[in-house]
Amino acid sequence: CGFAMRGAVSFPFKSIYVGFGDSSPLGGELKRNIRANGQTVITSSANDAEVILDVLTENREKVILSLNSQGRVREYNLVYTFKFRVRDKTGKEFLEPTEIVLKRNITFNESQVLAKEAEEAVLYRDMQTDLVQQILRRLAVLNMS
Amino acid sequence: QTAATEQTTAPATPATPVAPLAPALAKKAKESIPEVKLIGSNKPVDRDADKDAPTIIESESMSGRPERIANFDDHVEIQKGGMTIKADRATYRNLEDEVDASGNMSLQRYGDCYTGDSARMQMDAGLGHIENPIYKLVKNNAQGHANSIDFLSREHSVINQGTYSTCEGLSPDWYLKSDTLNLDTGLDSGVAKKATVYFKDVPILFAPSLSFPLSGARQSGLLPPTFGASSKGGIEFGLPYYYNIAPNRDLTIFPKFIARRGLQLGVEGRYLGETYSGETSVEGLLHDQQTNTDRWSIASVHKQKLLPNVDFSWDINAASDDDYPSDFSRSITKTAQRLLLREADLVYYGSIWSLGLRVSNYQVLQDLAAPITRPYDRLPQLNFHAEQRDLMGFDWAVDSSLTRFWHPSMVRGDRTVLNPQLSYPIINPGWFITPKVSLHATNYHLENPDPGQPTDLNRVLPTLSIDSGMVFERKANFFGRDLTQTLEPRLFYVRTPYKDQSLFPNFDSATADFNFAQIFSENRFTGSDRIGDSNQITAALISRFIEASGEERLRLAVGQRFYFNTQRVTLPDAAASQSRSDLLLSADGKISKTLSADAALQLSQTDRQSVRANYGLRWQPETGKVLNAEYRFQRDTLEQLDISAQWPLAKRWYGVARSNYSILDKRLVEGVAGFEYRQDCWAFRVIIQRFATATLQSTSAFSFQLELNGLGKFGLGSNPIDVLKKNISGYQSAD
């Protein structure tokens, strides 16, 4: 039915600087995935890179989704907002500021608060993986002209 | 915040030029009267160069001695630097560089315009005095009239017995009338003494002193008072004071008189530094007349980088009693919280590892009709995590924790967990296989074991897993757009042997929600007290529709777990195991530019019933218009219909509403209805709210807010804008 196995994806740039802090888990996973591609260099300085990924917002928020009839939280919505843009060192933009918002629902019960803490971490990791894939897809189709 | 946005979005109206002389007349004047140039040269007009700027005077006729005193008549125009005076008559004293002007006097001063009966202006320093002026200021787009205005310096002026408004026109919708109004553009502040605020010519507020920022920036001073009434406290009156200590520090003090309870005092401080930031608020009431007790609450967060690789943080919350939030808070985010966290955290990290020390404890605000089991305190918890990727193709990680769990009534003890993991991911563009082995080693030392329970418990369990998937792609056409459609099958196998854990305590474990993140994890429990025995395979199929830009438009997913063995490890009071797991179905994405939908369904294969379901629809045809509808279901726990909308009702009228109705209890969990009316220089908002706070208890709240642009927000209760943002997903302020 027209489906073919995905071939190698190459980025339309030779080198990239990824503007995350050293301890950022999202940055770590993104760099790993870019490196796995094998053809793109991740530079340690913005000046040496053909393109620069600027992180504009990276925000995690926990919003009450539903309350039970006693007014207690029974579901939270975890919202992971990431906004970035891609430019070169002269400021020319290849990708205008783009926002990706991911959401996951998590049930809540006061008596399980410690367990829910760990579960939240699992959901954020899942969103992080998802986010990395979405960023990679945008990078793969950058218009470099 | 809204005020600031309005000011930035409203284009600053340029100063209306004073009625210009007919060009022909002006030309004639220039021909008939020689220019009087007194000092300086022809420098460009510049506010800072006024001293050296020439004074240029034009008029129909002139008498007197130009070097001492000169009298000018008919269409007099005197200009120096950024100041221009036009009048019927004027006297110019050369020595003082001073002008007395009268008769149809108008003054343009650094962009601001004044018209009045007469003025005396010192041209050099820009000081002076105007009688009976009507004025219009560039900054803040404000205008009004006064008995007189004194210009004390270039930046500081005093409006005596005058009015002030940011509305256009002769009969403004609102204005401030004051004995004196000190405007200081240097300090960016306006201070009105003996001020009365009129709205539609009705006095709505009197204040001995009222200050406001001219450009909407933060500034110390009394904030507009709040008035109100609530079912729990009676009439309320508050007078907040804002103290802008430094650009990165501020303090708000909010005394509030609550008729039936007494005087409540609140203080909130915020600070931000290069390596630290934080926020603390404390509020309290000595001797509540209703309960005859002292009532208080504290919330404090702080983050600090102690050393380049050492972070410290705390999050401390406390309340005097179980009912404090429901008695004093008008925000459901506070009343819905019945666990108040107190936690301090110290993290030391290296390039591939981190070491964390944490102490945590929860205050439980009990609802006697539905008591909550108190969570364990962690006094303390020491965490170690290390990981490295792609070390000769291998990824490894180690998680370890050492925790002392404390509880006043349940079993207490120390737990040590060591969890090393090793995997070998084989990743290709079109497929991947990741075999992984891990070990879970746990030791318990219990302080007060239950009868029959040993003091020391040990568990070592290995886990093997294989994760694999493929990605297929094709070009697809979806609603007339060319998209890439993917098809991503994934298989995940897990094997963990069984060990009887029925004697193990449960400190921090629970059965995880069944969702797409969970079906690909090795353990069906979260926390470390239960390691589920498993011999199971998870199958999932995901299909994405991706735009040419790389944006994910739609995602469809289906997943199921198959068990080869009966699951035997359970938590106390947990349900019996199932031979086949629940089926997961989900779909979410944008159907069109304005319509998006999401659906998630968890179906039990054992009894063919839904366990959990979510169906949502959002229609956002344009900015300021949004309609959300959502149905949420959790078997035996929750069944709700949640509808919310923001919609313009008529010109300048906006309506917002939310109804979160529990079908299970046939009760409104939360209802909000609000209206907003916006004019150019003010906005009025009304919010009616009703929400459940405890078993068979609800709080109704009424709040309104009148926002006078450039002056402040007058109202009661929680900020309606915050209520709207929280309640209506996709809410956008109308401007």
Side-chain angles (χ1 to χ4, degrees):
Chain A
C1 47
F3 280 107
M5 196 178 278
R6 181 164 70 185
V9 181
S10 61
F11 297 111
F13 44 83
K14 297 263 183 304
S15 59
I16 185 169
Y17 173 77
V18 183
F20 284 95
D22 285 342
S23 59
S24 160
L26 176 64
E29 192 172 342
L30 181 65
K31 286 177 193 169
R32 209 154 51 229
N33 276 272
I34 294 174
R35 243 182 243 126
N37 172 271
Q39 287 156 357
T40 306
V41 179
I42 297 170
T43 65
S44 54
S45 139
N47 278 331
D48 304 335
E50 188 182 347
V51 297
I52 297 162
L53 187 149
D54 282 331
V55 179
L56 304 174
T57 317
E58 190 190 342
N59 187 29
R60 294 174 173 197
E61 200 185 358
K62 191 166 152 187
V63 184
I64 295 173
L65 188 63
S66 51
L67 302 157
N68 70 0
S69 58
Q70 286 136 9
R72 290 201 214 153
V73 182
R74 282 297 164 261
E75 273 180 301
Y76 278 109
N77 197 356
L78 306 180
V79 186
Y80 198 155
T81 309
F82 182 71
K83 197 173 180 181
F84 71 111
R85 67 168 176 173
V86 182
R87 59 173 176 99
D88 66 9
K89 62 184 171 191
T90 64
K92 187 184 169 199
E93 258 183 19
F94 301 119
L95 182 68
E96 60 181 26
T98 300
E99 192 176 73
I100 301 174
V101 181
L102 294 171
K103 294 178 181 180
R104 297 284 187 273
N105 292 354
I106 181 170
T107 62
F108 183 77
N109 191 312
E110 284 86 0
S111 59
Q112 300 175 344
V113 64
L114 300 188
K116 288 294 164 188
E117 210 176 76
E119 201 175 335
E120 254 176 52
V122 170
L123 289 176
Y124 274 121
R125 264 204 303 281
D126 181 48
M127 282 194 265
Q128 180 181 306
T129 305
D130 200 344
L131 193 54
V132 165
Q133 293 308 317
Q134 297 209 27
I135 297 168
L136 290 174
R137 255 182 250 129
R138 310 261 176 144
L139 292 180
V141 295
L142 276 192
N143 184 1
M144 299 294 292
S145 56
Chain B
Q1 214 180 3
T2 318
T5 335
E6 271 156 17
Q7 277 155 11
T8 48
T9 48
T13 315
T16 323
V18 191
L21 290 170
L25 261 180
K27 202 179 169 197
K28 184 183 152 206
K30 267 191 181 154
E31 282 162 5
S32 55
I33 304 289
E35 275 191 358
V36 184
K37 271 196 184 177
L38 293 161
I39 21 170
S41 58
N42 259 325
K43 278 194 178 172
V45 175
D46 176 348
R47 217 175 138 133
D48 297 321
D50 277 5
K51 275 199 162 158
D52 301 326
T55 303
I56 300 164
I57 305 178
E58 296 171 12
S59 78
E60 298 277 341
S61 68
M62 172 197 159
S63 61
R65 292 181 295 172
E67 69 277 12
R68 294 289 302 275
I69 291 183
N71 297 314
F72 299 89
D73 284 296
D74 293 337
H75 302 110
V76 186
E77 183 175 331
I78 304 168
Q79 190 252 319
K80 175 172 183 171
M83 280 208 300
T84 307
I85 301 171
K86 291 176 186 176
D88 289 346
R89 294 171 298 282
T91 306
Y92 180 75
R93 281 186 294 280
N94 190 10
L95 215 59
E96 294 87 4
D97 195 19
E98 195 173 74
V99 172
D100 277 310
S102 59
N104 294 315
M105 196 289 300
S106 73
L107 164 69
Q108 280 212 45
R109 185 175 177 268
Y110 316 124
D112 300 336
C113 299
Y114 306 83
T115 58
D117 291 350
S118 64
R120 166 170 290 187
M121 294 301 297
Q122 211 277 328
M123 301 301 280
D124 197 22
L127 313 181
H129 176 87
I130 304 184
E131 284 294 323
N132 279 322
I134 293 171
Y135 67 90
K136 186 166 171 79
L137 311 177
V138 176
K139 204 169 189 178
N140 208 17
N141 192 26
Q143 54 205 312
H145 56 80
N147 276 1
S148 65
I149 297 180
D150 291 311
F151 301 108
L152 301 182
S153 75
R154 195 168 285 188
E155 287 167 339
H156 186 187
S157 48
V158 181
I159 295 172
N160 299 306
Q161 307 282 344
T163 66
Y164 178 90
S165 175
T166 57
C167 300
E168 306 258 357
L170 292 172
S171 53
D173 283 341
W174 71 265
Y175 57 89
L176 173 90
K177 205 168 181 173
S178 60
D179 252 20
T180 59
L181 174 59
N182 274 273
L183 298 175
D184 195 321
T185 53
L187 295 174
D188 190 34
S189 79
V191 180
K193 299 281 179 196
K194 287 189 189 170
T196 313
V197 178
Y198 289 81
F199 181 71
K200 296 284 183 190
D201 292 320
V202 178
I204 56 164
L205 169 74
F206 172 78
S209 176
L210 185 72
S211 57
F212 52 93
L214 293 180
S215 64
R218 330 181 302 170
Q219 178 219 325
S220 295
L222 280 176
L223 296 175
T226 61
F227 303 94
S230 79
S231 56
K232 291 196 164 156
I235 290 168
E236 295 177 9
F237 171 76
L239 193 64
Y241 180 81
Y242 179 80
Y243 181 29
N244 189 20
I245 305 166
N248 63 344
R249 279 199 299 278
D250 66 14
L251 195 70
T252 312
I253 301 163
F254 37 99
K256 193 183 202 179
F257 176 73
I258 306 170
R260 279 193 231 144
R261 295 189 183 273
L263 184 69
Q264 184 193 43
L265 188 70
V267 180
E268 184 184 300
R270 302 185 298 179
Y271 50 90
L272 175 73
E274 239 172 70
T275 57
Y276 61 91
S277 67
E279 196 173 326
T280 295
S281 69
V282 182
E283 58 181 48
L285 179 73
L286 285 177
H287 192 79
D288 183 340
Q289 291 158 23
Q290 296 268 300
T291 60
N292 293 321
T293 54
D294 297 340
R295 313 284 304 268
W296 52 267
S297 79
I298 294 175
S300 175
V301 288
H302 177 88
K303 279 183 186 169
Q304 187 155 11
K305 205 174 248 314
L306 293 178
L307 289 166
N309 51 358
V310 179
D311 288 353
F312 171 66
S313 67
W314 77 61
D315 185 350
I316 295 165
N317 300 275
S320 57
D321 54 275
D322 293 343
D323 299 321
Y324 189 90
S326 55
D327 280 353
F328 291 95
S329 175
R330 287 228 187 79
S331 145
I332 197 158
T333 38
K334 291 225 171 117
T335 60
Q337 279 284 6
R338 303 206 72 101
L339 294 177
L340 303 181
L341 175 67
R342 301 91 179 265
E343 182 181 81
D345 224 335
L346 189 68
V347 184
Y348 178 34
Y349 51 88
S351 55
I352 59 160
W353 55 270
S354 66
L355 183 67
L357 180 69
R358 160 160 74 177
V359 259
S360 88
N361 150 273
Y362 284 94
Q363 180 183 358
V364 182
L365 304 180
Q366 288 291 3
D367 175 0
L368 292 177
I372 297 160
T373 314
R374 186 188 197 280
Y376 274 95
D377 295 350
R378 287 169 289 193
L379 303 168
Q381 182 170 53
L382 190 66
N383 285 306
F384 176 77
H385 172 83
E387 66 168 62
Q388 231 177 337
R389 304 273 171 161
D390 201 11
L391 204 72
M392 305 208 302
F394 284 94
D395 287 2
W396 66 264
V398 175
D399 278 298
S400 179
S401 70
L402 180 67
T403 318
R404 171 158 290 179
F405 288 99
W406 191 88
H407 198 281
S409 55
M410 299 199 295
V411 61
R412 294 182 286 270
D414 299 340
R415 188 188 70 193
T416 313
V417 177
L418 183 67
N419 176 214
Q421 301 144 47
L422 183 70
S423 64
Y424 190 78
I426 306 162
I427 298 173
N428 280 282
W431 56 273
F432 73 91
I433 295 181
T434 307
K436 179 177 172 185
V437 284
S438 63
L439 193 74
H440 234 283
T442 320
N443 171 268
Y444 290 90
H445 179 76
L446 304 179
E447 190 186 308
N448 54 340
D450 292 336
Q453 193 180 27
T455 317
D456 288 276
L457 288 152
N458 282 299
R459 175 186 63 198
V460 180
L461 282 172
T463 296
L464 168 75
S465 71
I466 301 169
D467 194 0
S468 64
M470 297 172 93
V471 184
F472 297 96
E473 286 182 346
R474 72 163 182 182
K475 296 284 168 212
N477 196 285
F478 185 72
F479 286 94
R481 289 183 74 99
D482 286 327
L483 302 172
T484 302
Q485 185 190 356
T486 70
L487 204 59
E488 304 168 31
R490 189 169 168 190
L491 282 175
F492 180 67
Y493 174 77
V494 188
R495 179 88 172 94
T496 306
Y498 167 75
K499 180 180 164 64
D500 182 8
Q501 297 164 42
S502 55
L503 290 176
F504 284 49
N506 179 14
F507 294 136
D508 66 357
S509 285
T511 309
D513 287 354
F514 198 68
N515 54 37
F516 280 97
Q518 205 278 316
I519 57 176
F520 294 108
S521 56
E522 280 103 354
N523 190 4
R524 62 181 178 273
F525 301 102
T526 54
S528 298
D529 298 312
R530 293 292 181 279
I531 304 298
D533 55 322
S534 50
N535 183 11
Q536 65 198 33
I537 196 156
T538 303
L541 187 65
I542 298 171
S543 182
R544 297 173 218 263
F545 291 81
I546 300 159
E547 298 257 11
S549 68
E551 184 184 345
E552 190 175 299
R553 180 78 182 269
L554 184 69
R555 175 196 305 213
L556 306 169
V558 53
Q560 176 154 23
R561 194 181 263 174
F562 301 93
Y563 298 105
F564 299 127
N565 286 356
T566 308
Q567 296 166 273
R568 294 162 72 188
V569 176
T570 53
L571 279 163
D573 317 318
S577 66
Q578 296 150 352
S579 61
R580 277 199 292 179
S581 88
D582 300 348
L583 179 73
L584 278 179
L585 296 163
S586 91
D588 63 284
K590 286 181 192 156
I591 295 165
S592 71
K593 267 205 151 52
T594 57
L595 189 67
S596 52
D598 65 274
L601 178 65
Q602 180 186 350
L603 271 174
S604 163
Q605 296 289 85
T606 315
D607 52 13
R608 302 196 175 276
Q609 280 185 325
S610 54
V611 178
R612 201 172 156 206
N614 267 306
Y615 306 106
L617 207 60
R618 173 191 290 193
W619 186 45
Q620 195 156 20
E622 58 187 77
T623 306
K625 282 186 183 176
V626 108
L627 193 66
N628 300 306
E630 198 169 345
Y631 169 82
R632 288 192 291 269
F633 172 81
Q634 273 183 52
R635 200 198 299 178
D636 305 326
T637 309
L638 193 91
E639 187 176 9
Q640 292 182 351
L641 191 61
D642 193 346
I643 296 171
S644 64
Q646 177 192 12
W647 211 258
L649 300 174
K651 200 184 172 203
R652 299 183 181 282
W653 278 97
Y654 301 87
V656 288
R658 177 183 184 183
S659 153
N660 186 3
Y661 180 78
S662 169
I663 299 165
L664 196 72
D665 311 282
K666 299 190 172 51
R667 185 180 180 202
L668 187 72
V669 178
E670 191 184 8
V672 177
F675 296 97
E676 186 178 40
Y677 179 77
R678 303 176 69 86
Q679 273 286 1
D680 295 332
C681 57
W682 58 274
F684 183 71
R685 304 181 185 96
V686 187
I687 299 284
I688 304 157
Q689 232 186 325
R690 185 176 166 80
F691 51 85
T693 50
T695 313
L696 302 175
Q697 263 195 56
S698 278
T699 292
S700 300
F702 170 81
S703 54
F704 73 83
Q705 187 179 60
L706 176 65
E707 180 180 339
L708 306 178
N709 294 4
L711 197 61
K713 294 171 185 173
F714 299 84
L716 75 92
S718 45
N719 181 348
I721 289 291
D722 292 344
V723 174
L724 297 179
K725 277 188 187 150
K726 199 200 80 59
N727 272 287
I728 293 147
S729 164
Y731 173 84
Q732 283 167 313
S733 190
D735 52 359

